[in-house]
Amino acid sequence: MRILKPEVAKERKEKILRWVVQQYVETRRPVGSQMIADSALPDVSSATIRNILKDLEDEGFLYQPHTSGGRIPTDKAYRYYVDYLTSVQKMAAQERQQIERQYDQRVNEVDNVMVQTSRLLAMLSGAAGFVYASNVKDQCVRRLDFIPLAPGVVLAVLVTESGMVRHWPVRFGYILAPNRLRMLSHFINAEIAGLPLGQAQRVLWQYINSGHKEIADVADLAVQVLKDMERPQASADELYVEGFGRLLENTSSDDYEDLKQMMRVVEERERFSSLLCEKMTDMQKSNQKLNVSIGSENELKELKNLSIVSSAYQVGDKTVGMLGIIGPKHMEYTRVMSLVNFIGNLLEATIRNWNALPAKEDDYE
């Protein structure tokens, strides 16, 4: 009887495991020993393959829904497969160029970058795409500007260095000339650009309370803006999710209940935002760029039959948000991981380009 070297036996077992996962991802059907013998390892007997499959089942990588049927992957098998792919993931140059063109066409304004990125992720994956930005309170200010709407009413526009935009109407009891609004905008930006929002607010309060004459006639407006900036903003406001329709189209009847559970979580938003916030913090601590959570690895029970592939994006050396794809555990991990990683890099590059541009006086005129 021929005895294989341990490293050869291990390599054969891992090859079979990878093949079973890939085959199940493609067909959604249990995989039997004869199928493996015919397609993957024609030089290995079905009996030997059955023994390997039994070992993989005993080790928790596979399970057999029916005694006489084939095996399907467990969460542990998907985790092995994803870890293997992490070291070999690639994306064809032609596909990268096509995605870059689509991204450039769609993402051309600060205030639509998040929603357009989530839509592109959904469109290219056939699943649900999301973009999450950390609460604006934790981010650095790029600029704060004012757009006249009506006598005594302006629109305040706050842009952070991560590309997040908050805007809200500010009402006051008098009319300000446009040049005084521009003066206030220039003054504020000179004082707070680049500061975390909390620190920026403290700087402005100190300046206003010191009674500087150059802002005396706009002090009331400045105070009102500061009060508005201090209002708590739910983190769910920075979560963008697109693609439920596409995910529904690609969902079998077996997966429909899982999709309903996921939609319930995302519709609540706060729970899903909290999950992403925690994941983002963990990724920053471990200096991790790409993360895959499979089934039971997800903290929310409603996501136990789904996978989340996510990438953290940064401004400078600080992680400020995440983007990714939510889909079934049998998703095509090779492509999805490459897609999320690549679009994450595009989003970072877009934000860097914005931050490199000088602010113009007439940007918000």
Side-chain angles (χ1 to χ4, degrees):
M1 178 179 175
R2 182 186 173 198
I3 300 177
L4 294 177
K5 294 180 179 179
E7 61 269 21
V8 176
K10 181 175 183 290
E11 183 180 345
R12 176 184 286 179
K13 180 188 285 189
E14 291 180 350
K15 181 177 180 181
I16 289 176
L17 179 56
R18 291 195 298 270
W19 197 87
V20 170
V21 175
Q22 184 62 39
Q23 189 67 20
Y24 186 75
V25 166
E26 293 175 358
T27 67
R28 299 297 314 285
R29 295 177 180 175
V31 180
S33 57
Q34 192 59 52
M35 185 186 302
I36 298 172
D38 292 342
S39 304
L41 295 172
D43 56 338
V44 180
S45 69
S46 294
T48 299
I49 293 173
R50 279 196 297 272
N51 289 335
I52 294 174
L53 291 175
K54 181 63 168 62
D55 289 343
L56 289 169
E57 187 176 352
D58 292 342
E59 294 168 9
F61 289 100
L62 303 176
Y63 74 94
Q64 200 170 18
H66 306 288
T67 307
S68 58
R71 271 87 168 176
I72 65 177
T74 64
D75 288 3
K76 186 176 179 180
Y78 284 121
R79 167 49 56 199
Y80 163 79
Y81 185 65
V82 166
D83 289 344
Y84 169 77
L85 291 177
T86 300
S87 62
V88 298
Q89 61 170 320
K90 295 179 181 178
M91 181 179 286
Q94 184 176 1
E95 186 175 21
R96 288 200 303 268
Q97 292 171 1
Q98 181 181 359
I99 292 172
E100 283 179 337
R101 285 196 297 270
Q102 293 185 56
Y103 198 81
D104 288 342
Q105 290 169 3
R106 288 166 172 264
V107 182
N108 52 16
E109 299 174 9
V110 174
D111 59 355
N112 74 2
V113 62
M114 304 300 179
V115 67
Q116 292 295 353
T117 299
S118 59
R119 285 178 182 171
L120 189 60
L121 283 164
M123 182 188 73
L124 294 171
S125 68
F130 68 86
V131 178
Y132 168 77
S134 60
N135 194 293
V136 71
K137 188 81 174 177
D138 302 323
Q139 299 185 31
C140 293
V141 176
R142 182 179 180 225
R143 59 182 302 174
L144 176 65
D145 291 283
F146 305 103
I147 303 173
L149 295 180
V153 183
V154 300
L155 184 71
V157 182
L158 173 68
V159 185
T160 73
E161 289 188 347
S162 72
M164 275 301 302
V165 177
R166 276 187 66 190
H167 51 81
W168 66 95
V170 181
R171 293 173 174 81
F172 47 99
Y174 51 91
I175 297 176
L176 273 178
N179 67 318
R180 294 303 291 165
L181 281 175
R182 285 197 297 272
M183 182 280 300
L184 178 62
S185 174
H186 293 163
F187 162 75
I188 288 178
N189 288 319
E191 296 293 325
I192 68 172
L195 297 179
L197 183 57
Q199 183 180 347
Q201 289 169 292
R202 289 192 295 272
V203 168
L204 289 183
W205 275 121
Q206 291 171 0
Y207 203 93
I208 291 170
N209 291 332
S210 65
H212 280 72
K213 294 180 180 179
E214 64 267 29
I215 62 166
D217 61 335
V218 290
D220 291 344
L221 173 58
V223 168
Q224 183 60 51
V225 170
L226 277 168
K227 289 180 178 178
D228 290 340
M229 289 167 65
E230 289 182 339
R231 290 177 183 170
Q233 186 179 23
S235 60
D237 289 344
E238 291 99 41
L239 173 64
Y240 303 81
V241 184
E242 298 284 338
F244 282 130
R246 287 189 178 85
L247 189 54
L248 190 60
E249 291 171 5
N250 296 314
T251 298
S252 67
S253 56
D254 295 336
D255 298 325
Y256 188 68
E257 186 59 34
D258 297 333
L259 179 59
K260 283 173 57 180
Q261 295 284 343
M262 182 194 76
M263 291 177 69
R264 188 174 299 122
V265 170
V266 176
E267 283 172 356
E268 291 177 6
R269 299 180 73 81
E270 277 296 332
R271 293 178 66 205
F272 189 54
S273 293
S274 296
L275 172 70
L276 294 177
C277 184
E278 291 177 10
K279 189 185 294 290
M280 186 178 75
T281 301
D282 292 341
M283 290 174 70
Q284 186 169 23
K285 288 179 180 177
S286 61
N287 199 28
Q288 185 182 12
K289 184 69 184 292
L290 187 70
N291 177 269
V292 183
S293 299
I294 302 165
S296 57
E297 295 175 354
N298 292 308
E299 294 181 12
L300 300 179
K301 66 180 187 300
E302 293 90 343
L303 303 177
K304 64 182 176 60
N305 290 320
L306 297 163
S307 288
I308 302 176
V309 180
S310 54
S311 176
Y313 63 92
Q314 297 180 315
V315 173
D317 59 355
K318 183 178 180 182
T319 300
V320 295
M322 296 181 67
L323 57 88
I325 289 167
I326 316 168
K329 287 192 292 188
H330 55 80
M331 69 171 67
E332 189 181 348
Y333 288 98
T334 309
R335 171 169 162 71
V336 171
M337 290 166 66
S338 297
L339 177 64
V340 169
N341 190 55
F342 185 65
I343 292 186
N345 290 335
L346 289 180
L347 179 57
E348 283 187 344
T350 299
I351 293 171
R352 281 198 304 272
N353 289 339
W354 285 337
N355 291 338
L357 293 173
K360 297 178 182 178
E361 290 191 5
D362 58 351
D363 276 352
Y364 291 102
E365 285 190 76

